[in-house]
Amino acid sequence: MRLLLLNPNTNAAMTERVLSAAWRLAPPGMELQATTARFGAEVIASRAGYAIAGHAALDAYAASGKDCDAILLACFGDPGLAALREIAHCPVVGMAEAACFQAAHGKRRFSIITGGARWPAMLREYVQTLGLGSQLASVRALAADGAGIMADPAAAQAAILHAAKAAGIEDGAEAIVLGGAAMAGMVNGLATQIAIPVIDGLSAAMLAASYAAQTAAAGLIALEPTATHGLSPALAGLLAKGSAKP
C-alpha cells in the first residue's frame, strides 16, 4: 500500500515531522511519500488560511497523487477533505475526522487540545458537521501555534498535559484528541500521565487510511468535467477530465 501524506500548509519542516512520525507507525508493507503545499500559509491558523489550504491541497494532489493507494490529509482541520474526495482516484482520510470518530467511539465525550487561538471555534463547527457535536466536551487552545509547538516541543508537551488534565476534570472529557500535525508522535509522552485515553490524530488517520485502501473506492464521489481558469495545469487537467467512480 502506498500512502501519500499531504500537508496543505507550506511548512516543509512540518511535513518532515509528520513523515518521520508516520514511519514509526507504519505497518509492514506500507510505503510512505509526502508532499507540501506549493502555496498558502506556513501555519494554518485562521479561516483565510484554511480556505487557501483547501485549494492548495487539491493542487498538491494534482501534482503528486497519481501513484498512491490512499491519501492522508495531514492537517488537523481537514481543509479540502470533501473536495479531495471528489477529485481523487483513491480514498482520502483526514486527521480530524479520523481522530474525532475514534475518540467518540462508545459514546464517549472528548476534548480536543489544539494550537492557535482561532482554532477552537473552527473545530467546534467542524465537529458539528461530523455529527459529533453532542459528544464534544471542549476545545482547549494552547498559546503556541503549530510552528511554536515544533520550536519548543518540551514546553508544548507540558502545556498539552496541563490542558488535557483540565479537560478531564473540568469539562468531563472521557478521551483527549491531540489536534495538530505538529503534535504527531507526542502521545507516547502523555498517555501514561493522563487517566483517560489520548488519541494522536496521525495514528488514527493512518489506521483509517489502511482500512480505506483495502475497501478501494468505497465512498468516493464522482465529479463532472469542469472548465476552469488560472489554475495550475495539473489541477486544471484533472478538473477538465472529471472522474467516474462507483
Side-chain angles (χ1 to χ4, degrees):
M1 172 191 169
R2 294 179 300 277
L3 178 64
L4 174 65
L5 303 170
L6 194 163
N7 178 12
N9 69 40
T10 56
N11 191 327
M14 189 170 292
T15 305
E16 289 301 314
R17 179 185 179 88
V18 172
L19 180 60
S20 177
W23 275 118
R24 293 192 293 272
L25 295 167
M30 179 180 282
E31 300 175 18
L32 301 178
Q33 62 184 96
T35 188
T36 305
R38 186 173 58 87
F39 57 85
E42 281 201 6
V43 176
I44 301 165
S46 66
R47 294 181 189 276
Y50 185 90
I52 295 165
H55 177 188
L58 296 179
D59 181 84
Y61 165 73
S64 305
K66 296 180 180 63
D67 297 324
C68 59
D69 299 308
I71 298 164
L72 192 161
L73 184 56
C75 170
F76 190 79
D78 298 344
L81 179 60
L84 277 169
R85 285 176 171 159
E86 284 189 330
I87 197 172
H89 70 283
C90 60
V92 185
V93 300
M95 291 178 68
E97 182 183 68
C100 288
F101 277 116
Q102 184 174 321
H105 183 70
K107 301 295 183 181
R108 289 185 299 200
R109 288 174 55 76
F110 64 95
S111 289
I112 300 170
I113 311 300
T114 192
R118 296 193 179 186
W119 271 113
M122 295 163 63
L123 288 175
R124 282 192 291 269
E125 292 170 11
Y126 184 59
V127 173
Q128 287 285 352
T129 70
L130 299 177
L132 301 175
S134 64
Q135 291 175 247
L136 182 64
S138 63
V139 182
R140 288 179 172 257
L142 309 181
D145 62 11
I149 291 168
M150 289 180 59
D152 193 346
Q157 189 152 307
I160 293 167
L161 178 62
H162 177 78
K165 287 181 174 180
I169 295 169
E170 299 172 16
D171 306 331
E174 298 168 295
I176 299 295
V177 172
L178 301 185
M183 299 179 189
M186 286 189 171
V187 67
N188 293 334
L190 295 166
T192 60
Q193 302 180 71
I194 301 174
I196 56 179
V198 182
I199 295 162
D200 176 12
L202 178 63
S203 177
M206 288 187 68
L207 286 174
S210 295
Y211 176 78
Q214 293 169 17
T215 56
L220 299 180
I221 304 164
L223 178 68
E224 294 296 323
T226 306
T228 61
H229 299 279
L231 302 180
S232 68
L235 181 54
L238 284 179
L239 290 169
K241 182 180 178 182
S243 60
K245 301 169 185 171

